[in-house]
Amino acid sequence: MLSPRDLLERNDPDIFSALTGEETRQASGVEMIPSENYTYPEVLTTLGSVFTNKYSEGYPGRRYYGGQEFTDAIERLARERAKQLFRCDHVNVQPLSGAPMNAAAYLALLHPGDTVMGMDLSHGGHLTHGAPVSHMGHLFDWIRYKTDPESEGRIDFDVLRQAALERRPKMIVCGYSSYPRDYDYRPFKDIADEVGALTLADVSHIGGLIAGEALANPFDAGFDVVTTTTHKSMRGPRGGMIMCREEFRKAIDQSVFPGLQGGPHMNQVAATAVALGKAQQPEFKRYCQQVLANARALARALLDGGAELVTGGTANHMMVMDCVRSFGINGRVAENALDEIAITCNKQVIPDDPNPPLRPSGVRLGTPAATTRGMAESEMEALGGFMLEALRKPDDEPGLRKLKDEVQALCAAFPVPGIRS
Ligand code: DSN
């Protein structure tokens, strides 16, 4: 009997060829996009399982379709594991991904037109934190706070408090997609209490690092709602979770279903449960510490080589490099040069970037994926050196080819879990 993989090869060679091409790309180079990771083989198996066949509108014990014996079990397990990891009252594991997750959370607790505070996109916030190009940007009246260049990109809480006192937001959102510092959640909560606002932390990038107790947990500062995607530092399937205090359970659940979504993707819910189970193991805590140590090592290598990093370094898993100031090239040229040497990163706007998003001033780099492969500080130093060489001479094709050989030789010693070598 042919295996599922053999069947795909025989019956759809085009897709099979793309699949094997992507496997080779992922294994022969290294993913340094901070929001990406290499998931567990068990997650891949669960994602490709018969749970994808099932409709399960509703929640465990209250579904609108029959045949829920096993789907109820996995959703309960996912919720319980997440509750233990994040020390919270309730978790909804059905959001399909990050943007619908945040939309469902806002719509649960706010009315269209309400005033909300979120971090400006170019300073590190996410599209759903009020960027005008997102529907969320129009649905609510946003106060977009910024970081302070005079204090290495920290947030000036006096300025934030003043804006909150003047505009009286209903919710203060903190969280980031491209901010290389950790947050101090307490000042956000204090200001929110002063103006009567709800608090929501979108920890999508660092959800795994919080679960692994490497970074602070917003619930410890009394936050009302915490959202996270599951495929970044958590290493799970693509998806999202909304976690909240008990008093918001009903509003959050109704907002996800039937408010915004229909049938949950139960293969994804099952795979989320698997990843959360992995995050409960002691190895995951060690992994999270190594992610941070690797980020520090990579930042140090880049800084020592003369690169300029936004905020002067990193206190989490990522860094944003100003390529214009460092090398006189924009982020698109830098991303292409690193692609040429099998290091995948993404071009990135820097605070108040004078350049447009498709030709921004920087690139964003992160260590969760490389750390999953077992790379440590010495590999980060080597990769940092390769990057500096490539970015100093992005047009030197023979030089880039030689660097690619070196990157691929390094990667060959660190197989990707779940990809046959
Ligand atoms: N696209 C994600 C990231 O790369 O950070 C955020 O949604």
Side-chain angles (χ1 to χ4, degrees), residues 33 35 126 177 205 232 364:
I33 294 173
S35 48
H126 185 247
S177 283
H205 263 257
K232 298 185 174 92
R364 192 178 61 150

Side-chain angles (χ1 to χ4, degrees), residues 85-86 206-215 234 279 281-282 284-289:
L85 282 164
F86 287 88
I206 54 170
L209 301 173
I210 292 171
E213 295 180 354
L215 291 178
M234 189 74 81
Q281 308 304 316
F284 191 73
K285 283 201 176 73
R286 288 195 284 278
Y287 163 74
C288 291
Q289 291 297 341

Side-chain angles (χ1 to χ4, degrees), residues 33-36 98-99 126-127 176-178 204-205 229 231-232 238 318 346 348 364:
I33 294 173
S35 48
E36 293 190 10
H126 185 247
L127 285 167
Y176 45 78
S177 283
S178 56
S204 288
H205 263 257
T229 50
H231 47 280
K232 298 185 174 92
R238 305 195 80 85
M318 80 165 93
N346 71 277
Q348 177 64 47
R364 192 178 61 150

Side-chain angles (χ1 to χ4, degrees), residues 47-316:
L47 273 178
S49 72
V50 292
F51 281 119
T52 202
N53 298 342
K54 193 74 197 98
Y55 261 124
S56 302
E57 278 97 330
Y59 292 101
R62 283 172 58 89
R63 305 272 193 195
Y64 291 83
Y65 293 72
Q68 307 291 349
E69 184 182 352
F70 299 104
T71 48
D72 276 5
I74 56 165
E75 187 164 350
R76 285 198 175 102
L77 268 176
R79 293 199 306 202
E80 284 310 310
R81 288 174 183 177
K83 275 166 60 178
Q84 284 167 20
L85 282 164
F86 287 88
R87 300 188 295 282
C88 60
D89 297 335
H90 179 61
V91 182
N92 187 306
V93 294
Q94 294 191 5
L96 301 175
S97 208
M101 164 190 83
N102 282 343
Y106 300 153
L107 292 165
L109 305 171
L110 301 168
H111 296 293
D114 278 352
T115 301
V116 193
M117 272 190 136
M119 197 183 211
D120 184 87
L121 184 71
S122 80
H123 285 248
H126 185 247
L127 285 167
T128 56
H129 300 172
V133 291
S134 157
H135 286 313
M136 294 303 111
H138 298 285
L139 208 48
F140 303 106
D141 173 25
W142 288 88
I143 310 166
R144 298 185 189 92
Y145 57 86
K146 296 188 172 186
T147 57
D148 178 10
E150 302 302 318
S151 64
E152 292 194 314
R154 287 182 177 79
I155 290 163
D156 185 333
F157 284 101
D158 291 334
V159 172
L160 193 139
R161 177 172 173 268
Q162 204 50 46
L165 286 170
E166 280 163 21
R167 303 267 305 273
R168 299 269 157 187
K170 292 268 171 45
M171 177 185 277
I172 298 182
V173 177
C174 71
Y176 45 78
S177 283
S178 56
Y179 184 56
R181 292 193 169 280
D182 193 19
Y183 272 159
D184 181 4
Y185 296 101
R186 285 192 192 276
F188 285 104
K189 175 67 177 153
D190 289 344
I191 294 168
D193 285 348
E194 193 176 350
V195 301
L198 295 167
T199 41
L200 183 148
D202 174 359
V203 300
S204 288
H205 263 257
I206 54 170
L209 301 173
I210 292 171
E213 295 180 354
L215 291 178
N217 182 340
F219 283 120
D220 292 343
F223 265 57
D224 296 308
V225 180
V226 177
T227 60
T228 184
T229 50
T230 45
H231 47 280
K232 298 185 174 92
S233 52
M234 189 74 81
R235 278 194 76 189
R238 305 195 80 85
M241 304 195 298
I242 304 175
M243 301 171 275
C244 63
R245 302 212 324 240
E246 184 59 33
E247 66 196 277
F248 304 114
R249 167 200 289 258
K250 195 167 167 212
I252 293 289
D253 282 356
Q254 285 184 347
S255 183
V256 173
F257 172 83
L260 190 73
Q261 296 184 177
H265 296 180
M266 295 315 289
N267 57 327
Q268 169 195 331
V269 171
T272 299
V274 171
L276 292 166
K278 294 276 192 183
Q280 289 178 315
Q281 308 304 316
E283 302 89 271
F284 191 73
K285 283 201 176 73
R286 288 195 284 278
Y287 163 74
C288 291
Q289 291 297 341
Q290 191 63 48
V291 167
L292 298 185
N294 282 355
R296 288 193 295 271
L298 179 58
R300 176 50 47 208
L302 296 172
L303 289 167
D304 288 350
E308 288 209 22
L309 301 182
V310 172
T311 78
T314 180
N316 56 26

